[in-house]
Amino acid sequence: MVDLQKHISESFSAQGLMTTLGAELTLVASGEVHIVLFPRPALSQQHGYIHAGALTSVLDSACGYAALTVAPTGMDVLTVEFKINFIRPAIADRFVAVGKVKKAGRTLTVCQGEVLGEQGSHRETIAVMQATIINIPGNTQQFIQPDAPTRAG
Amino acid sequence: MVDLQKHISESFSAQGLMTTLGAELTLVASGEVHIVLFPRPALSQQHGYIHAGALTSVLDSACGYAALTVAPTGMDVLTVEFKINFIRPAIADRFVAVGKVKKAGRTLTVCQGEVLGEQGSHRETIAVMQATIINIPGNTQQFIQPDAPTRAG
Amino acid sequence: MVDLQKHISESFSAQGLMTTLGAELTLVASGEVHIVLFPRPALSQQHGYIHAGALTSVLDSACGYAALTVAPTGMDVLTVEFKINFIRPAIADRFVAVGKVKKAGRTLTVCQGEVLGEQGSHRETIAVMQATIINIPGNTQQFIQPDAPTRAG
Amino acid sequence: MVDLQKHISESFSAQGLMTTLGAELTLVASGEVHIVLFPRPALSQQHGYIHAGALTSVLDSACGYAALTVAPTGMDVLTVEFKINFIRPAIADRFVAVGKVKKAGRTLTVCQGEVLGEQGSHRETIAVMQATIINIPGNTQQFIQPDAPTRAG
C-alpha cells in the first residue's frame, strides 16, 4: 500500500490539470481516494461560483485512483464513462471529492463518488457520481487504447 | 438571436474556468453551441495527454449553452446531470465540443454532445454525452437553487 | 404515512407491468421503497438467467416510489432519466430492488438504488442505479407532460 | 451476416422476457438492430400508459444485439451499463427501439439508442439511451462473469 500511495501521489503530481485546478490529494486508501478543491475565480462559472466541470474533473480523478488502488499489480486505469448528478448549489469553503470502489473486477471496476461541500462545521453532498473504469496494461501508458476498433462503428 | 449570441458570449467570458482552460466559444446557433479546446501541459493527465475532465468541462458548457439558446426568454440554465462515454484516445491537435438540444421543454432540456478530435484533415468522435438541463428564473443568478429541499432526502 | 403507503400500494397494483413481472412491493418507508422479484423463465434472457430489463424495471419503480414518499402532497412523479450499472451476474433465488432518496427538491428528486441478489444467507449487490425524478401535479395523471416543448429541439 | 441474423433471431426467441413483453425483432443490420413493442395493459404503469421499464428493456436488448452484430466472431455480449432519458410522453400506437453502434472495440462497444413512438404518420423520439457493452467469450454462456473480482470492492 505504501508503494501504491507513492505511485498514485506521483501520478497525481504529473497531472497538469490537477495542478492548474489547485487540487490536492488528501487520502489514498484501499478502494477510496479523496481530492480537495478550493473555490477561486479561476475555477468559476459565470456567476462566480465554482464550475461544475472543475468538481467533475476532481471527482473523476478520485474515482479513477480509487479503482487503481484495487487494480491487479502492474495495471493502469482509464475512465470508460461516468454519470454525475449535481444535487445542491456548489457553495462551500472547501470541496472534497470522495471516490469509492463499489465492485472491482479483472477488467472493469465500478466506483461511486461524491463531492462534499464543507462550510464551517457544515458538510453536505453537492454531487454524486457513478463511474466505470477499465484496467489496462501499465506499460501501454494510456496512449494505446486497449480497445482499438475491430470493425467500423 | 443576435442578443442571445451576445448574452452567451458575455456569459462564457465570465466563466473563469473557461479562461483557465483556454477554451474558445466558436459557434452559437439555435439549439447548438461549439467550444474549442487545445491540448497543452496545463490540461494534461499523468501521461501528457489531455485530461478527460478538461474535455468534460467544455462539453458540459457547450450542452448548457445549447439549452440556453432554446430556453424561454429571461430564463437561465443549470446542469442537472450528465453522462459521458470516452470512446477513443484523446489525441488530437484541436478538440471541438459540440452541444446539441435533443428536446427542449418548459422545465427541462435534454442535450446530446460530442467531443470531436481534429488532427490534420482527420476528425473523429472522442467522447459522447447525454445531459439534462433545467431552466431557472434568470434573476436568481444561479445562487438560489430552484430546487430547495421540501423534505429531508 | 399510512395514507401514502396505501396510495403507493394501490398505484403499484395498477401497474400492469409489475403484475406481469410478478413483482411484489415489500417496503414503503419515508425515502425508501423495496420491490421483490423472483427469477422465472418468463423473465429470462437467452441463457435462462433473469433479464437485465426486468431488474431495471423494478429498480426504476422502486426509485420512483421512493421519490413519491417525499414529494409535496398532491404531487405525482415521473422518471426523467436514470443510469444503471450491472456489477455482478444476476444469479440469485430472489432479487430485492431498493430505491432510496438521496436528495429531494421542490421540482426534482435524485435517488440511488441497488438490486440485491439473495441466495440462501448470501446477499450481494447485482446492480446500482442513479435516477432523477420530477414532481408533477397529481391531477395531470401523467398523460400531460409537464414539460411540453416551448421551442423545437 | 445471414448467419448473424439467424443467430440473433434465435437468441431473441430464447429471451423469455421479450416473449412476455410481446416484443418483435424487426431489423438486424451491421451495427443496428430494431425491436418493436405495442402498448397493452400487461405492460402499463399506473395510469394505463406503457411502463418506462418495458421500453427500457427492449431498447437495452436492441443496443446489446447491435453490439453483437459488430463483435469479433465467437464473442457474446453483456450490458455493462446504460443511461436513458425519457423525453416525451410514451403515447403511441407502436414503439420502435433502435439500437446503433457508435464505436466498436475489441473489449467494449458503445451504443446510442432511441425509442421512437409511431402514431399514424407521426413519429417522434420518446427516449434516448447511451450504453456500454462488453464482449465475452461465447462459450461462457453468460453465467461466468468475465469480470470476477480480483480484490474486494
Side-chain angles (χ1 to χ4, degrees):
Chain A
M1 198 66 203
V2 171
D3 281 356
L4 191 57
Q5 284 176 323
K6 187 164 173 287
H7 172 51
I8 289 179
S9 177
E10 287 172 357
S11 171
F12 185 85
S13 299
Q15 292 203 354
L17 183 64
M18 291 300 114
T19 304
T20 299
L21 297 177
E24 297 171 17
L25 182 70
T26 56
L27 181 95
V28 177
S30 180
E32 182 167 345
V33 166
H34 296 192
I35 298 174
V36 167
L37 196 62
F38 295 88
R40 53 197 180 90
L43 308 184
S44 75
Q45 33 85 301
Q46 68 276 21
H47 299 300
Y49 301 96
I50 197 163
H51 197 288
L55 297 178
T56 303
S57 296
V58 291
L59 189 51
D60 170 33
S61 281
C63 285
Y65 284 127
L68 187 55
T69 65
V70 296
T73 307
M75 297 301 265
D76 204 342
V77 295
L78 272 178
T79 300
V80 171
E81 62 82 40
F82 61 76
K83 178 238 205 297
I84 185 165
N85 275 76
F86 301 98
I87 66 174
R88 284 193 183 83
I91 305 175
D93 299 327
R94 185 177 181 265
F95 297 94
V96 187
V98 175
K100 284 186 191 176
V101 173
K102 182 69 184 174
K103 165 69 168 58
R106 186 169 53 81
T107 308
L108 299 177
T109 295
V110 173
C111 290
Q112 290 185 318
E114 293 194 85
V115 175
L116 303 168
E118 294 179 345
Q119 206 154 16
S121 63
H122 191 62
R123 187 187 229 208
E124 59 184 8
T125 303
I126 302 294
V128 285
M129 178 180 280
Q130 202 166 295
T132 309
I133 288 108
I134 191 166
N135 294 324
I136 57 165
N139 56 0
T140 59
Q141 293 193 328
Q142 216 155 342
F143 59 81
I144 298 166
Q145 201 198 29
D147 206 358
T150 52
R151 301 189 198 184
Chain B
M1 198 65 204
V2 171
D3 282 355
L4 190 56
Q5 284 175 323
K6 188 165 172 288
H7 172 51
I8 289 178
S9 176
E10 288 172 357
S11 171
F12 185 85
S13 300
Q15 292 203 354
L17 184 65
M18 292 299 115
T19 304
T20 299
L21 297 177
E24 298 172 16
L25 182 70
T26 56
L27 182 97
V28 176
S30 182
E32 182 168 345
V33 167
H34 296 192
I35 298 175
V36 166
L37 195 62
F38 295 88
R40 51 196 183 91
L43 308 183
S44 75
Q45 33 84 300
Q46 69 275 20
H47 299 300
Y49 302 96
I50 198 162
H51 197 288
L55 297 178
T56 302
S57 296
V58 292
L59 189 51
D60 170 35
S61 281
C63 285
Y65 283 126
L68 187 56
T69 66
V70 297
T73 307
M75 297 301 266
D76 205 340
V77 295
L78 271 179
T79 300
V80 171
E81 61 82 40
F82 61 76
K83 179 238 205 295
I84 185 166
N85 275 76
F86 301 97
I87 67 174
R88 284 191 186 85
I91 304 175
D93 298 328
R94 186 177 180 264
F95 298 94
V96 187
V98 175
K100 285 186 189 176
V101 173
K102 181 71 184 174
K103 164 70 167 57
R106 186 168 54 78
T107 308
L108 297 177
T109 295
V110 173
C111 290
Q112 290 186 317
E114 292 195 85
V115 175
L116 302 168
E118 294 178 346
Q119 205 155 17
S121 63
H122 191 62
R123 187 187 230 210
E124 59 184 8
T125 304
I126 303 293
V128 286
M129 180 180 277
Q130 203 166 294
T132 309
I133 289 108
I134 192 166
N135 295 322
I136 57 165
N139 57 1
T140 57
Q141 292 192 328
Q142 216 154 339
F143 59 82
I144 298 166
Q145 201 198 29
D147 207 359
T150 52
R151 301 190 198 182
Chain C
M1 198 65 203
V2 172
D3 282 356
L4 190 58
Q5 285 177 322
K6 189 166 173 284
H7 173 51
I8 289 178
S9 177
E10 287 172 358
S11 171
F12 185 85
S13 300
Q15 291 203 355
L17 184 65
M18 291 299 114
T19 304
T20 299
L21 297 178
E24 297 171 17
L25 182 70
T26 55
L27 181 96
V28 177
S30 181
E32 182 167 345
V33 167
H34 296 192
I35 298 176
V36 167
L37 195 63
F38 295 88
R40 52 196 182 89
L43 308 184
S44 75
Q45 33 85 301
Q46 68 275 20
H47 299 300
Y49 301 96
I50 198 163
H51 197 288
L55 296 178
T56 302
S57 296
V58 292
L59 189 51
D60 170 34
S61 282
C63 284
Y65 284 127
L68 188 54
T69 65
V70 296
T73 306
M75 297 301 265
D76 205 342
V77 295
L78 271 178
T79 300
V80 171
E81 62 81 40
F82 61 77
K83 179 240 207 292
I84 185 166
N85 275 76
F86 301 98
I87 66 174
R88 284 193 185 84
I91 304 175
D93 298 328
R94 186 176 180 264
F95 298 94
V96 186
V98 175
K100 286 186 189 177
V101 173
K102 181 72 184 173
K103 163 70 167 58
R106 187 169 53 81
T107 307
L108 298 177
T109 295
V110 174
C111 290
Q112 290 185 317
E114 293 194 85
V115 175
L116 302 168
E118 294 179 345
Q119 206 154 14
S121 62
H122 191 63
R123 187 187 229 209
E124 59 184 8
T125 303
I126 303 293
V128 286
M129 179 180 279
Q130 203 166 293
T132 309
I133 289 108
I134 190 165
N135 294 323
I136 57 166
N139 58 359
T140 58
Q141 293 192 328
Q142 215 155 340
F143 60 82
I144 298 165
Q145 202 197 28
D147 206 1
T150 51
R151 302 189 196 183
Chain D
M1 197 66 202
V2 171
D3 282 355
L4 190 57
Q5 284 175 323
K6 188 166 173 286
H7 172 52
I8 289 178
S9 177
E10 286 172 358
S11 171
F12 185 85
S13 300
Q15 291 203 353
L17 184 65
M18 291 299 114
T19 304
T20 299
L21 297 177
E24 296 171 17
L25 181 71
T26 56
L27 181 95
V28 176
S30 181
E32 182 167 346
V33 166
H34 295 192
I35 298 174
V36 167
L37 195 63
F38 295 88
R40 53 197 181 88
L43 308 184
S44 75
Q45 33 85 299
Q46 68 276 20
H47 299 300
Y49 302 96
I50 197 163
H51 197 287
L55 297 177
T56 302
S57 296
V58 292
L59 189 51
D60 170 34
S61 281
C63 285
Y65 283 126
L68 187 56
T69 67
V70 297
T73 308
M75 296 301 265
D76 205 341
V77 294
L78 272 178
T79 301
V80 171
E81 62 82 39
F82 61 76
K83 179 240 205 296
I84 185 166
N85 275 75
F86 302 98
I87 66 175
R88 285 193 184 83
I91 304 174
D93 298 328
R94 185 178 181 265
F95 299 93
V96 187
V98 175
K100 284 185 190 177
V101 173
K102 182 70 183 174
K103 163 71 167 57
R106 187 168 53 81
T107 307
L108 298 177
T109 295
V110 173
C111 290
Q112 290 185 317
E114 292 195 85
V115 174
L116 303 168
E118 295 180 344
Q119 206 154 16
S121 63
H122 191 61
R123 186 187 232 208
E124 59 183 9
T125 304
I126 303 293
V128 287
M129 179 180 280
Q130 203 166 295
T132 309
I133 289 108
I134 191 166
N135 294 324
I136 56 165
N139 57 1
T140 58
Q141 293 194 327
Q142 217 154 339
F143 59 82
I144 300 167
Q145 203 198 28
D147 206 1
T150 51
R151 302 189 198 184

